[in-house]
């Protein structure tokens, strides 16, 4: 299918579909600290290996060992690599396992960068923040958002296997550029939503009021006259700033926020102490 | 209210299934949001489930298993936390307050599962040397066992001893802590949001973050997240429109270089 | 209430004048909005006239006589519809419900007028051959006759038999249809809007469409169309500002090519 | 007046003004399926023809027949063509009727494209949608908008005759570019207004509510929590999509919308049937 | 209520200090806003001080001593005006109505101060010729005297005769003038805003002006100036983002030329 | 410190700090119509002159007379010039007073343009308009805005002395470009705020209502249905337009606005007269 191939293809649409399904289901089942997704990767491409090397035990052994090697990338992006790998494997027929390894290890790094940003960070922000926002308003219907989006992603993953197979080694250039653009646009959308999420879901009630003469000044109401949501954004920006500090971990930040919450919640009583 | 053994088993099975979802199709069953909702649904109080799950979801918004990192298990946390909240009849904040330490504790079991799988990797390596591809296949599927058990066991135990634990807590938790946890629950989503901001190109695109914030902050009763998301979509589209229309043709290799620079800006390491 | 013969004649003359306006100065007399308003004004209920005219106006928003196409005659429709609505005292929705089929029916008379003018074109051709330019002049002016009659006759008839028609309808129209027409009247403006969207470069500029929608949808009681229009103006100005500031100098002929592409995108044929 | 002219002009300001008035009033009076605005066009330029060919019956006949030929463009844009035509006619003095025809037929097509977009589609959206919106709120004052704008357009049409006369054949390049820009800016404005119009004027009341336990859930209120105006935009997008289908006409869509309206309006009763 | 001599002296000292602030650190003491607030605070009615000072501040928003121009002395005006408003118990509008002519009158004293300093300039010139740098130093410091006296004297007099002046006015000011001044006070900020618009590149960036206006006009009760300022900040950032991303590399000297053009557009001379 | 210097510097950090303080405090004390900030400028750089020419009375006299010459620029920007001047003076040691004068008079003009726009017009708009807006709502807390911003500006002025000293004569090119950009961004922010200020602080109540039949139409309510804030913006645009007229001064405009206010305020009574 790619211009690099000379003989007629042995890998069928059905084979690719099968690989795509295995990729979705099996890539991470055997995840471990040594080879990470290596075991799952070998599992994923097994149908191709069987087809190509069924009658050649030596090549089969070599291929198995090769594909059990270290592999790690964003699952959604792995389909592109598996597809490209299949096309190359079909062309080389085991003659050059180093080329195959080169393809895999060359792509997995950059694809993890783009993929984790787009398919993990931004994607989850968009679907789960809106769903969680609706949940906090008591509406379960929002859970349909990640569910439907999840099926869309599954479809994209499925397609990615074929795109990888057809594009072969040109993946990084053309397709990569498109993904970069998409990531940028998605980041804009994601940041807009994140900004909105802050006043929408962070809603502390701070029980603090001053009596000046006969007028009762509620601290929070006063601050909101500058801009509503000023307390939530202050807490977030403070957290963001803390995370930039050395030695700050998300777990430590969690305890800091717990402490702040306990203090704010008891502020009225604390003030009375003085 | 008490938890029937049947319900405990169903929820235990659910968390196993959800863990497989987390590894494979990622449809969302693995999210605290679903965890809370389903527990609430089965225990007859979906609203509390949504509140516990939603808050935990927001706390973990920016946290992900990048590179195979272990993160707090707020899925199990949301199931147990929702169950405790309903059992104790003390409201969602109570459940959140309990789900957080539980989730943190269970981080360790995730590490254990990832380590156990080393065993199957080595099993597969052995089979590969003999060319036994069926063996390799089996080894990968065995990975399901550590993954699911690492979630099912704690959830089963947590639910089984639920009543006793809840009674214990009710006896000893002071009033000021309850009051404090309530406010803490309301600000904890800041955690997930702040982490996420570290992973997104905030420095380059902070303008859009501001716009989103202001729209929601001053938007009044009609403003919704979907409305802001649509505005965000429009702004992204305008950015792309301008990029297509106005971007000068790049000299060889320069766009890559420019991107690299931005990445550097944003790549702040956070230890989870 | 009944329509005096004097009023019928005035409205008949108005529709003739409005048709000439449609062909020449296009000041707006030809629009259903004016038709409804003026009828309402003369019959003492301007509000109903505004509602009937306004709704019909929106229905026909995207519909225009591009290339000489015939479109529903909602001008006549708005006059007769408003009159019937006031005569029957059944409200604006009732009038809209009647104006729509009337307008559709009268499409045919527009075709007839355009065909009748062929006669004058041929008359002019004959005069041209003899160099009689005054004759050519006259031939063009004669065109007024088919144009105006095609509107004045149906409006006269419609108003003259108004009472009887209204009585007939009131007797036979079922309740569910009345109820349904009410909601139908509320969604019919979608027609004109959707058609218009086909004629505007929606694919290229959909972002602005979204912004307009969201602003109005969530804008609350203070938001007005004029406010959104001002925002639209500002966005258009920003687009032009950026175009002037950032647009790279075009290589020969490329901008034309780019535009062509967009046009292709949008040129969807709609049969009216 | 243009650099192409050699002898002093015979056409005066007054002549051009007269032509402009005839253009406004007469261009479409004789509209017919054969020559469309052909009859009106001839009527429009008659004062010029009289002035140039009064003493030359042959040229007059030829010019009359020529200008009675097919012509069709947006009326507002026709002024530019009439102006350019006048300048050319004055220069050629009937020596080359083909050049005149070429000018007319060459410009009328592209000018119809730009003109129908700018002076019909966008212009009417802007003035009539805001006026209709105010009308639906019971305010007649909005009708002043199309009226005032109409006079502005008349003034522009008047000026166009002179611009056409002065620019001559350069019309398409320079002036065309400016109009393209204006059309683009106006399209942005128009689309913003159109978007806003949807929740502003489409306001169905859908009488549908569910009773879940003791809570009464109103269907429309529920949907509006996702985003207000969700029903209007859904109806419009559905209509827009239908219009893209083959065989769909605006009249058919009208009946579909009528049917939807009747169904929605009776929804409470329909649901009870089940 | 009457003004104690102590209070008069404190306010007189304040205006002297504020004038030095205007010349040196410009921390804001010199602004009518501070003038009104401090007077109000000392006289026990801070709200009236804020209203008088705030309105005068807005009137002078676009007015500045560009090139050494003399502008109305609304600082002294705000002090005296606030004092009169409180003394007369007639409200802030009353104070504004009086502060305006006072401020205008005192313009002349600013001119006087700037002229008096000529004396010290010449003194310094003499010292320079003999190389006496300490003398030059002293000459500059002497400048403080005309500057401060030009404010302290009128404020002292204005406050000292406050009661009599107020009584006089109350006796002779007609009702319609009071009523009119109230509305006048509400529209006077237009003055400062309009002047400022002349100094900012409104023609190039009018789109942002429109956006600010519409946001505040339709924004409802939640909208605040800070919210609009944040949106403005975001828009400015987007403009810079696009400028960095899309701006074609400038040919030598062209950006300077472009800027010059804009400057020309906006440089409208206004005599104060 | 700049590459142009050959011998070791005599001017210390402490000297520069002292000059910066004098610049802030003394630049405008002796402001007069003849030399404007000339006297203050000489006062500002005196510590440097003392250090350089203490033992050379002739150079001291020349330097004093030179620095007493005409000078005028935005005070904040003057620090850059004083800094650059110091570096040059230190290098030339009085050998070329014309070079020093050239530097001063060459920079003061353009710096006044940028500086008056950025540090006066835009800066004051931003801090004082928001503070005044809060003041009109009865909140004194807004006064902190100019106060805090004032200290920030003081810090910037202080830094400017050092930047000027280090950049020397390159000031106009590099640094100037950055300031232009900042001015443009600040102008966008300023204009947005100015636009918002109009409906926020101009709030006339116009007592005019018509009785049509039984319906009472309030004039202002009616206008606000077109767009809220239409009266304030009309008044501002009218003022803006007037200011563009020849012979219109801000004082004249003040009286016009007073007259308009008096008329509007008495409108109900005026209408009754007819
Ligand atoms: O970071 C790349 C990749 O690493 C691991 O394999 C998993 O945690 C994935 O979720 C992640 O996408
Ligand atoms: O489409 C060009 C043109 O065609 C016809 O002549 C008329 O319907 C005009 O309104 C239209 O502008
Ligand atoms: O215009 C330059 C400059 O002129 C004078 O010196 C003063 O009024 C300053 O405030 C101003 O910045």
């Amino acid at each position: 299918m790619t211009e690099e191939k000379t003989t007629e293809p042995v890998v069928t649409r059905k084979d690719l579909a099968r690989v795509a399904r295995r990729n979705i289901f099996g890539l991470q089942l055997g995840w471990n600290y040594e080879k990470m997704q290596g075991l799952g990767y070998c599992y994923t491409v097994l149908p191709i290996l069987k087809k190509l090397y069924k009658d050649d035990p030596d090549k089969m052994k070599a291929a198995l060992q090769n594909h059990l090697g270290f592999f790690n990338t964003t699952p959604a992006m792995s389909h592109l690599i598996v597809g490209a790998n299949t096309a190359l494997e079909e062309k080389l027929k085991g003659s050059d396992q180093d080329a195959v390894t080169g393809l895999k290890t060359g792509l997995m790094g950059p694809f993890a960068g783009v993929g984790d940003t787009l398919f993990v960070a931004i994607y989850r922000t968009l679907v789960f923040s809106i769903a969680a926002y609706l949940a906090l308003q008591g509406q379960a219907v929002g859970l349909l958002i990640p569910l439907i989006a999840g099926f869309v992603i599954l479809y994209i993953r499925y397609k990615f296997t074929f795109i990888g197979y057809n594009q072969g080694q040109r993946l990084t250039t053309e397709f990569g550029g498109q993904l970069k653009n998409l990531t940028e646009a998605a980041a804009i959308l994601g940041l807009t939503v994140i900004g909105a999420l802050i006043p929408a879901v962070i809603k502390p009630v701070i029980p603090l009021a001053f009596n000046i003469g006969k007028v009762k000044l509620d601290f929070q109401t006063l601050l909101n006259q500058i801009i509503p949501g000023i307390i939530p954004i202050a807490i977030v920006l403070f957290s963001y700033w803390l995370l930039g500090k050395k030695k700050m971990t998300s777990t430590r930040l969690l305890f800091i926020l717990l402490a702040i919450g306990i203090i704010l919640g008891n502020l009225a009583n604390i003030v009375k102490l003085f | 209210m008490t938890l029937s053994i049947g319900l405990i088993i169903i929820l235990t099975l659910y968390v196993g299934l959800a863990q497989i979802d987390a590894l494979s199709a990622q449809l969302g069953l693995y999210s605290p949001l679903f965890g809370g909702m389903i527990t609430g649904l089965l225990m007859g109080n979906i609203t509390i489930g949504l509140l516990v799950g939603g808050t935990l979801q927001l706390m973990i918004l920016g946290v992900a298993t990048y590179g195979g990192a272990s993160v707090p298990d707020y899925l199990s946390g949301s199931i147990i936390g929702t169950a405790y909240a309903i059992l104790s009849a003390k409201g969602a904040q109570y459940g959140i307050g309990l789900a957080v330490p539980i989730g943190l504790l269970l981080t360790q079991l995730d590490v254990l599962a990832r380590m156990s799988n080393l065993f199957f990797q080595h099993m597969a390596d052995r089979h590969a040397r003999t060319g036994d591809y069926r063996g390799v296949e089996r080894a990968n599927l065995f990975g399901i066992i550590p993954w699911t058990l690492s979630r099912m066991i704690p959830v089963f135990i947590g639910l089984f001893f639920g009543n006793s634990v809840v009674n214990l807590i009710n006896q000893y938790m002071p009033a000021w802590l309850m009051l404090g946890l309530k406010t803490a629950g309301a600000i904890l989503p800041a955690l997930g949001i702040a982490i996420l901001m570290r992973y997104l190109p905030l420095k380059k695109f902070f303008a859009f973050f501001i716009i989103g914030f202001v729209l929601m902050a001053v938007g009044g009763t009609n403003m919704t997240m979907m409305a802001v998301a649509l505005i965000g979509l429009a702004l992204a589209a305008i950015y792309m429109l301008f990029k297509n229309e106005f971007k000068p043709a790049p000299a060889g290799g320069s766009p890559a270089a420019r991107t690299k620079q931005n990445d550097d800006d944003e790549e702040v390491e956070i230890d989870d």
Side-chain angles (χ1 to χ4, degrees), chain A, chain B:
Chain A
M1 275 172 206
T2 73
E3 80 271 10
E4 301 145 18
K5 292 209 207 67
T6 44
T7 55
E8 75 274 39
V10 269
V11 175
T12 62
R13 280 193 73 80
K14 248 176 103 182
D15 292 331
L16 284 174
R18 211 169 155 216
V19 162
R21 283 194 303 272
R22 279 192 164 224
N23 199 346
I24 290 169
F25 174 63
L27 180 72
Q28 300 202 100
L29 291 183
W31 205 101
N32 61 80
Y33 285 120
E34 200 178 303
K35 303 284 165 61
M36 300 204 172
Q37 300 163 342
L39 177 49
Y41 192 95
C42 189
Y43 172 84
T44 297
V45 295
L46 251 179
I48 305 297
L49 305 187
K50 275 190 252 179
K51 197 147 198 185
L52 292 175
Y53 312 127
K54 210 164 199 168
D55 314 319
D56 190 337
D58 282 345
K59 283 201 172 163
M60 177 58 105
K61 281 179 210 164
L64 281 177
Q65 286 179 286
N66 189 25
H67 287 303
L68 276 172
F70 182 89
F71 187 80
N72 196 36
T73 198
T74 314
M77 301 296 286
S78 70
H79 289 252
L80 290 165
I81 301 176
V82 166
N85 183 348
T86 301
L88 189 64
E89 197 100 36
E90 183 185 23
K91 188 179 135 209
L92 299 175
K93 298 232 161 61
S95 63
D96 184 358
Q97 286 293 356
D98 282 358
V100 172
T101 310
L103 178 83
K104 282 169 55 183
T105 55
L107 289 177
M108 72 184 185
F111 276 18
V114 173
D116 280 358
T117 306
L118 187 55
F119 288 103
V120 183
I122 296 174
Y123 170 77
R124 292 196 185 166
T125 308
L126 292 180
V127 301
F128 284 115
S129 69
I130 298 183
Y133 159 80
L134 287 169
L136 293 189
Q137 306 200 320
Q139 282 196 280
V141 73
L143 274 77
L144 286 175
I145 299 174
L147 215 56
I148 291 165
F151 279 107
V152 172
I153 296 288
L154 278 190
Y155 176 76
I156 292 172
R157 289 177 70 169
Y158 189 83
K159 278 282 153 200
F160 269 11
T161 307
F162 290 85
I163 292 174
Y165 180 73
N166 289 321
Q167 295 268 320
Q169 285 161 299
R170 276 167 306 161
L171 268 187
T172 16
T173 49
E174 284 168 52
F175 200 77
Q178 283 175 39
L179 270 183
K180 281 255 178 239
N181 265 350
L182 189 59
T183 304
E184 232 179 1
I188 290 176
L189 172 47
L191 279 166
T192 312
V193 168
I194 276 293
L197 204 57
I198 294 166
V201 300
I202 305 179
K203 303 204 154 171
V205 178
I206 298 178
L208 193 63
F210 305 98
N211 289 306
I212 301 181
K214 272 165 266 165
V215 194
K216 191 182 164 190
L217 286 179
D218 181 53
F219 180 63
Q220 208 164 357
T221 310
L222 218 70
L223 280 182
N224 283 352
Q225 279 186 23
I226 298 176
I227 187 168
I230 192 168
I231 295 171
I233 190 81
I235 293 172
V236 168
L237 290 181
F238 174 67
S239 306
Y240 175 79
W241 172 77
L242 277 183
L243 282 175
K245 301 261 129 199
K246 280 223 172 98
K247 295 207 181 159
M248 180 53 60
T249 66
S250 61
T251 307
R252 274 186 204 161
L253 178 55
L254 172 64
F255 287 114
I256 294 173
L257 285 175
L258 275 174
I260 293 176
I262 291 171
I263 292 170
L264 284 183
N266 291 285
L267 212 52
N269 301 321
I270 294 171
V271 168
K272 268 186 221 141
L273 295 181
F274 296 96
Chain B
M1 175 176 184
T2 48
L3 271 165
S4 75
I5 188 72
L7 202 51
I8 294 176
I9 289 171
I10 290 174
L11 285 171
T12 304
L13 289 176
Y14 163 73
V15 80
L17 186 72
Q19 180 53 25
I20 294 174
D21 178 55
L23 296 165
S24 58
Q26 303 185 335
L27 288 173
L29 297 184
Y30 69 89
S31 65
L33 196 49
F34 271 87
M37 189 273 272
I38 291 203
T39 311
L41 188 73
L42 293 178
M43 293 183 68
N45 191 335
I46 195 170
T47 310
I48 284 201
L50 287 170
L51 288 176
V52 173
T55 302
L56 291 169
Q57 185 69 49
L58 291 167
M59 286 179 63
I60 212 155
L61 204 55
V63 180
T65 65
Y66 301 115
S70 287
V71 302
D73 182 3
Y74 287 155
L75 168 59
S76 305
S78 71
I79 295 172
I80 302 175
T82 302
Y84 285 15
I86 298 173
L87 287 177
S88 70
K90 292 224 167 196
Q93 309 290 347
Y94 179 90
I96 296 162
L98 294 175
V100 170
I102 293 170
L104 284 175
L105 216 69
L106 296 185
T107 318
Q108 310 313 324
L109 289 186
D110 185 77
V111 176
L112 206 65
R114 287 169 191 271
M115 269 168 56
S116 310
N117 274 346
L118 272 172
F119 179 77
F120 300 114
Q121 172 82 32
H122 294 155
M123 178 191 289
D125 288 345
R126 278 197 306 278
H127 290 309
R129 276 193 291 275
T130 65
D132 174 10
Y133 55 79
R134 271 177 229 283
V136 171
E137 227 160 16
R138 250 178 287 123
N140 190 50
L141 294 175
F142 283 150
I144 294 179
I145 299 164
W147 275 126
T148 52
L149 288 186
S150 70
R151 268 69 180 177
M152 289 167 78
I153 292 172
V155 164
F156 184 85
I157 293 175
L159 295 181
F160 195 81
F161 294 107
N163 278 310
S164 341
V165 174
V166 163
N167 286 336
L168 258 172
I169 297 171
N170 286 355
Q171 245 172 310
Y172 294 108
M173 179 118 102
W176 62 264
L177 191 56
M178 278 304 292
L179 194 65
L181 280 184
K182 205 165 166 171
T183 308
I187 70 169
L188 276 182
L191 179 64
I193 291 171
I195 295 171
L196 198 57
M197 283 159 63
R198 287 272 161 205
Y199 282 104
L200 292 174
L202 183 65
K203 269 170 206 155
K204 184 173 182 188
F205 293 133
F206 74 93
F208 303 98
F209 173 79
I210 292 179
I211 290 175
F213 167 69
V214 174
L215 284 184
M216 199 70 198
V218 304
T221 45
N222 280 328
M223 186 59 77
T224 67
M225 281 302 289
M226 185 59 74
V228 180
L230 279 175
I231 294 285
L233 179 66
L235 295 175
I238 291 173
Y239 181 77
M240 293 320 286
L241 171 69
F242 286 179
K243 199 158 183 172
N244 288 338
E245 294 263 303
F246 305 146
K247 186 123 201 167
S254 86
R258 185 184 299 120
T259 312
K260 174 130 277 149
Q261 215 177 328
N262 289 324
D263 287 347
D264 289 349
D265 259 31
E266 303 306 330
E267 261 175 29
V268 175
E269 286 300 311
I270 304 171
D271 308 294
D272 300 293

